[in-house]
Amino acid sequence: MVVTVGIAGITGKFARVLTSHLFKFPGVEIKGYCRDPSKVPQSFSRNPCLTLFKGDAFDAPALKSFVAGCDVVVCCYLGDDKLMTDGQKLLVDISEDEGIPRYVASDWALDYTKLELGQLFVKDPQIKVKEYLGTKKTIKGVHILVGGFMDPWFSPPFNIWDPTTTTFKYWGTGYEMWEGTTYENAAEFTASICLDKGAVGIQKFVGGRSTFREIAASFEKVYGVKPTLECLGTVDDLYKRMHSLRSTEPHNFFAYLFLFFQYYVLNGQTLIGPELDNAKYPQVKPVDWEAFMKATPLEHLAGTYSVIGQNV
C-alpha cells in the first residue's frame, strides 16, 4: 500500500535528512514543497518517488496542489514568527480542506507544551499552532518532541564547547539534565511516525539523557582528552544575563537567543523525559551523547551542524 508524505520546506536541513530516510521505505511517495526546486539535491530530484511543487508559504493555490492526495503533511518550515505561525496555520487549513488526516507540526526541539507565551519566545509559534490544531474538526496534529538537537549543541553559537582550548562552558552546577537527539535519529523517528497512521498528538523521543558533567566524562572517554570545565555562573545568573542582553541589545538576537534555550533546559521546564515513546519504534536505535561523539571525529565536532543534510 502506497503512503504519500508531503514535506513542506523540503530544502531545509531537517527535511533533507527526513526525506533521505523516507526513501528507504518501499511504497512511500513523497511530495516536496519549496520556493526554489533547484536547491533540492539532485539525488532527490532524480528519484521517481519524489514530486516537487514550487511556491511560498502563503501561496494558497500552490499549497492546495501540493497537499492534495497526501496521507500526512510534515511541516519543516524554519523562520520568523509570521512564517512559523501564520504560514503553518494556512498549511493546516488547506490540509484540512483537502481531507488530509494528519499534520506534523514544526518544530521538534524541547517540550514547549510546558512553556507560557513569552518565556522562550521563539517557541511561541509552536504553542499557538498546537492550540490551533486542537480546534480543528478532522485533521489531527502530531507534535514530535526530541529534546535538544545534539548536533548544534557543540557549535560556536551555543558557546558550550570551545575546541581551541578544549573547554566546556556551563551554567548551573553541571548536574542538570540535558536531553539530546541527533538530526538523523529525530528524522528516523519522524519517518516512522509518518508511516504509522495511528500516531497522533504528542510523541516523545530522546536519543540520550545526561548531565553536563556526564557529557564531559563521555568526551574524555571517547577522545582520550580531559576537557577543562568552566562554570559561567548559576542558573539565576544566566536568567539575569539573558534578560539584560535582550533589554540592552534587542536587535543583537543571537547574543541572547541561545542563553534563553539553555535557561529553559537547565530549569527543567522543557525536559520531556523520563517517560518516552522510543519503544514504539524498536527499529530505530536511539543515539545517546556518547554514541554521537563516537561517530564524530573530534576535529569535526564543532562543525557537525553546518554539514547536516549535505551528504544526502
Side-chain angles (χ1 to χ4, degrees):
M1 183 176 179
V2 174
V3 176
T4 303
V5 181
I7 301 179
I10 196 170
T11 57
K13 287 180 180 291
F14 185 79
R16 289 182 178 213
V17 182
L18 173 60
T19 301
S20 69
H21 282 288
L22 284 169
F23 279 149
K24 299 175 183 178
F25 292 92
V28 172
E29 299 286 342
I30 302 171
K31 301 179 75 172
Y33 187 79
C34 60
R35 289 175 295 179
D36 185 358
S38 70
K39 292 184 178 180
V40 175
Q42 288 189 355
S43 61
F44 286 6
S45 56
R46 292 173 182 160
N47 194 309
C49 294
L50 173 65
T51 305
L52 293 172
F53 294 79
K54 180 180 180 180
D56 65 36
F58 298 95
D59 185 341
L63 287 168
K64 183 176 180 179
S65 297
F66 157 61
V67 304
C70 287
D71 294 293
V72 58
V73 169
V74 183
C75 181
C76 291
Y77 292 165
L78 185 63
D80 61 20
D81 283 4
K82 181 175 177 59
L83 172 67
M84 299 303 290
T85 305
D86 298 337
Q88 284 206 80
K89 285 182 177 181
L90 179 60
L91 184 55
V92 168
D93 289 344
I94 292 174
S95 295
E96 184 172 53
D97 289 344
E98 290 299 309
I100 312 306
R102 292 187 300 147
Y103 176 92
V104 180
S106 183
D107 62 48
W108 282 248
L110 309 186
D111 186 355
Y112 51 83
T113 67
K114 295 183 287 186
L115 291 168
E116 297 176 11
L117 287 172
Q119 287 186 319
L120 182 51
F121 52 94
V122 291
K123 291 295 179 182
D124 285 357
Q126 284 70 52
I127 297 171
K128 294 174 182 177
V129 169
K130 181 178 182 299
E131 181 181 7
Y132 188 69
L133 277 162
T135 69
K136 293 298 175 179
K137 295 181 178 179
T138 57
I139 194 168
K140 301 296 183 183
V142 184
H143 309 277
I144 303 174
L145 310 178
V146 301
F149 281 113
M150 289 182 187
D151 316 67
W153 194 84
F154 294 91
S155 65
F158 270 88
N159 194 35
I160 290 174
W161 164 239
D162 183 353
T164 62
T165 61
T166 318
T167 300
F168 280 108
K169 303 176 183 180
Y170 67 96
W171 298 87
T173 65
Y175 293 103
E176 294 87 356
M177 187 64 65
W178 285 89
E179 296 174 330
T181 306
T182 67
Y183 267 68
E184 289 283 348
N185 224 183
E188 290 178 287
F189 281 118
T190 302
S192 295
I193 286 285
C194 289
L195 301 183
D196 180 359
K197 294 184 177 181
V200 296
I202 295 173
Q203 307 287 324
K204 300 181 178 184
F205 307 104
V206 170
R209 306 179 80 243
S210 296
T211 68
F212 191 94
R213 294 179 185 274
E214 288 171 339
I215 295 170
S218 290
F219 176 94
E220 182 177 0
K221 177 182 176 182
V222 171
Y223 298 117
V225 179
K226 186 176 181 64
T228 300
L229 301 186
E230 179 184 343
C231 181
L232 300 175
T234 66
V235 174
D236 188 52
D237 291 333
L238 171 59
Y239 182 87
K240 294 174 182 176
R241 176 64 174 163
M242 70 193 198
H243 280 289
S244 174
L245 285 172
R246 191 182 184 195
S247 176
T248 58
E249 305 177 49
H251 300 297
N252 193 6
F253 185 66
F254 292 105
Y256 53 84
L257 171 63
F258 298 103
L259 297 180
F260 273 80
F261 270 105
Q262 290 191 53
Y263 175 78
Y264 284 104
V265 170
L266 295 175
N267 76 351
Q269 195 170 344
T270 60
L271 295 179
I272 67 175
E275 292 79 21
L276 304 171
D277 296 312
N278 291 16
K280 290 172 61 176
Y281 306 107
Q283 71 274 20
V284 180
K285 182 180 178 181
V287 176
D288 63 18
W289 291 94
E290 189 166 305
F292 172 69
M293 286 185 270
K294 284 181 179 178
T296 308
L298 179 56
E299 63 271 21
H300 295 162
L301 194 59
T304 304
Y305 176 69
S306 64
V307 298
I308 290 172
Q310 290 188 7
N311 300 314
V312 291

